[in-house]
Amino acid sequence: MKKTLGKLLTLSAILLMAGCSSDQQTNSSSTNTVKESTSKTEQTTTASTAASSDATSGASAQEYTDPAEMKDAYDVVIVGAGGAGMAAALSAKEAGANPVILEKMPIAGGNTLKSSAGMNASETKFQDAQGIKDSNDKFYEESLAGGGGTNDPQLLRYLVDHSAAAIDWLDSMDITLDNLTTTGGMSVKRTHRPTDGSAVGEYLVDGLLRNVHENEIPLFVNSDVVKINEADGTVNGVQVKVDGKEKSIAAKAVIVTTGGFGANMDMIEQYKPELKGYVTTNQEGSTGDGIKMIEALGGQTVDMDQIQIHPTVDQTKSLLITEAVRGEGAILVNQAGKRFFNEMETRDKVSAAIIDLPEKSAWLVFDAGVKERVKAIDFYEKSGLVKSADTIEALAKEIDMPEADLKATLDTWNKAVADKNDAEFGRTTGMDNDLSKAPYYAIAIAPGIHHTMGGVKINTETQVIGEGDKAIPALYAAGEVTGGIHGNNRIGGNAVADIIIFGRQAGTQAAKYAVK
């Protein structure tokens, strides 16, 4: 029996923003602030649990399909309800298939919900409207340089060349990212954010979920896929645990969007032992399940030892402080009150510079202007992470720093902004505004585990590559579960681009295979 539910009940949001990107995706956390809408899905239930979980980036009542309505077969089964999974489902539906989304966590959203900086894209209509000169070639070259030249060139080329179309696709669904900023390693403003400058994650998940409902795509939570089934070398469905029971679901194609393994410390230490003891910004569902299931089918993996640490992570709550804070003008200072590196360099280099400090930590220092332009700071302040004072000297005293030295650092920086010349460290971006508007603020940060660049090997059609470098029939993957796109260092803002662009492609290609 089908019935239409009315308004979604919205609980208070508990947004634990952590990611730029990140990325990213499945095995989820929560949805956060779901706008008023009418669900057209099959009979649904309201889920409002997991608010106290580590995985929870936000908590709101959200409608999900009743487990009793789970069918024995679908055209396309999508494993994971993060950004990549929902983008894949919407694209599969557009292409004429009958998709379903299975999510192991109690609430959809995954690491995508934790993304804060924005989505990188080049040659977009929003850049053009604001007079920002950019090109796909420039986006490609800067991402390649950021990844140490080790990115898969075909995957990276596909990403940049389809980035503007992805921005348009989101906009067509009333998910508008027209506020532009920049992240480390990028020379122009190509990081697209919601109009009000707020974190991209909650806004993106909200919008994607709304469209999933409107398109009558079933989405089951607490549905843990434990195996991908195959016969004669062709994938034909999955095994899923629901309510303590295991069920087989047949499918003409399967898309894996289960995210990375940033919350699986055993895997982290296996591939990069030196990261033992680091905090992680990942939601608790990011445990590498999809990678393991694909490996069991003979799927190849790439770059598994390439694990990104993000330079600005609060160490008390493992919250990532968005790169947009630096992109809008903040500086990094050591305990002596002095700048020590170009804040807008790539994440690997900034992290290394912080680790080289005697304290292995630093302070983000900014003014009221930055706070006004980056809405995420309001949340950090409510979480007790932000120190503030009416003067620079008072702020220095608050964070146990030499007053004269911090004052001199700010004066030197403000002159560099005025002259458009950072003689100390060569910074060229995030210099549109100086730091002269009281009050002043500081947040203590140090590096933390953020994104796993490695994962399963795919081609530009998102087919999973198996033995003999041949695609495994009917198996697709997108998002952080895959490897190769970002090389040895992901540029902030590229993960959201990754999940939307390759999520769309996976849905289109899987549907094409399923309904041929």
Side-chain angles (χ1 to χ4, degrees), residues 171-192:
D171 192 38
S172 74
M173 299 186 292
D174 294 324
I175 305 171
T176 301
L177 303 176
D178 59 356
N179 183 313
L180 293 162
T181 188
T182 189
T183 57
M186 301 283 96
S187 66
V188 300
K189 290 185 177 181
R190 64 170 64 101
T191 307
H192 293 63

Side-chain angles (χ1 to χ4, degrees), residues 367-444:
D367 70 347
V370 173
K371 187 172 184 289
E372 291 167 3
R373 294 187 294 274
V374 184
K375 300 302 182 184
I377 295 172
D378 292 338
F379 173 76
Y380 307 146
E381 191 169 44
K382 291 175 183 176
S383 299
L385 308 183
V386 183
K387 303 289 186 181
S388 65
D390 291 334
T391 66
I392 297 169
E393 292 87 348
L395 180 66
K397 188 173 182 180
E398 177 74 15
I399 58 179
D400 194 25
M401 198 174 283
E403 298 173 26
D405 289 332
L406 183 60
K407 179 65 164 59
T409 294
L410 267 290
D411 289 343
T412 299
W413 171 248
N414 287 341
K415 186 176 187 306
V417 172
D419 297 340
K420 298 300 178 187
N421 178 28
D422 176 20
E424 286 187 299
F425 300 106
R427 176 169 166 176
T428 59
T429 58
M431 298 178 70
D432 292 341
N433 301 278
D434 67 10
L435 301 177
S436 60
K437 186 176 182 179
Y440 297 91
Y441 303 90
I443 301 176

Side-chain angles (χ1 to χ4, degrees), residues 1-4 40-43 69 71 216:
M1 175 181 178
K2 296 183 179 180
K3 65 179 182 180
T4 301
K40 299 178 183 178
T41 56
E42 295 182 359
Q43 182 178 353
E69 299 296 318
K71 298 179 180 179
E216 301 182 14

Side-chain angles (χ1 to χ4, degrees), residues 247-401:
K247 176 182 176 68
S248 293
I249 298 179
K252 297 174 183 176
V254 172
I255 304 173
V256 180
T257 58
T258 51
F261 57 95
N264 186 330
M265 297 314 296
D266 289 337
M267 287 183 72
I268 293 289
E269 291 177 32
Q270 175 187 348
Y271 292 107
K272 207 156 189 174
E274 60 266 36
L275 294 182
K276 182 177 181 178
Y278 274 66
V279 300
T280 181
T281 66
N282 288 255
Q283 58 92 20
E284 66 182 15
S286 297
T287 52
D289 302 354
I291 296 173
K292 296 172 187 175
M293 289 188 289
I294 287 173
E295 282 185 312
L297 295 175
Q300 295 186 37
T301 58
V302 294
D303 298 338
M304 291 295 286
D305 62 340
Q306 298 304 318
I307 300 169
Q308 182 177 70
I309 55 174
H310 194 289
T312 57
V313 178
D314 162 68
Q315 301 294 295
T316 61
K317 298 181 180 180
S318 301
L319 291 182
L320 183 145
I321 309 303
T322 175
E323 205 155 331
V325 177
R326 284 172 284 147
E328 290 297 328
I331 60 174
L332 285 168
V333 299
N334 58 24
Q335 199 59 48
K338 298 180 180 180
R339 288 179 69 218
F340 56 91
F341 201 69
N342 175 358
E343 296 87 353
M344 296 306 292
E345 256 290 1
T346 52
R347 291 173 172 182
D348 54 341
K349 295 177 182 178
V350 179
S351 293
I354 295 170
I355 292 169
D356 283 344
L357 295 173
E359 304 84 10
K360 301 188 183 301
S361 62
W363 291 88
L364 266 171
V365 174
F366 52 96
D367 70 347
V370 173
K371 187 172 184 289
E372 291 167 3
R373 294 187 294 274
V374 184
K375 300 302 182 184
I377 295 172
D378 292 338
F379 173 76
Y380 307 146
E381 191 169 44
K382 291 175 183 176
S383 299
L385 308 183
V386 183
K387 303 289 186 181
S388 65
D390 291 334
T391 66
I392 297 169
E393 292 87 348
L395 180 66
K397 188 173 182 180
E398 177 74 15
I399 58 179
D400 194 25
M401 198 174 283

Side-chain angles (χ1 to χ4, degrees), residues 19-82:
C20 91
S21 163
S22 209
D23 16 166
Q24 232 185 347
Q25 67 207 323
T26 60
N27 303 327
S28 296
S29 43
S30 62
T31 58
N32 213 315
T33 315
V34 178
K35 293 186 176 72
E36 221 175 73
S37 72
T38 300
S39 171
K40 299 178 183 178
T41 56
E42 295 182 359
Q43 182 178 353
T44 59
T45 57
T46 298
S48 58
T49 58
S52 62
S53 167
D54 236 7
T56 303
S57 297
S60 43
Q62 179 55 264
E63 294 177 342
Y64 300 113
T65 313
D66 190 322
E69 299 296 318
M70 189 177 290
K71 298 179 180 179
D72 294 329
Y74 296 89
D75 290 337
V76 179
V77 168
I78 298 152
V79 188

Side-chain angles (χ1 to χ4, degrees), residues 228-236 297-299 464 466-467 470-475 513:
I228 300 169
N229 296 327
E230 57 89 24
D232 300 322
T234 298
V235 166
N236 61 5
L297 295 175
V464 174
E467 298 171 358
K470 294 180 180 179
I472 299 175
L475 183 60
Y513 183 92

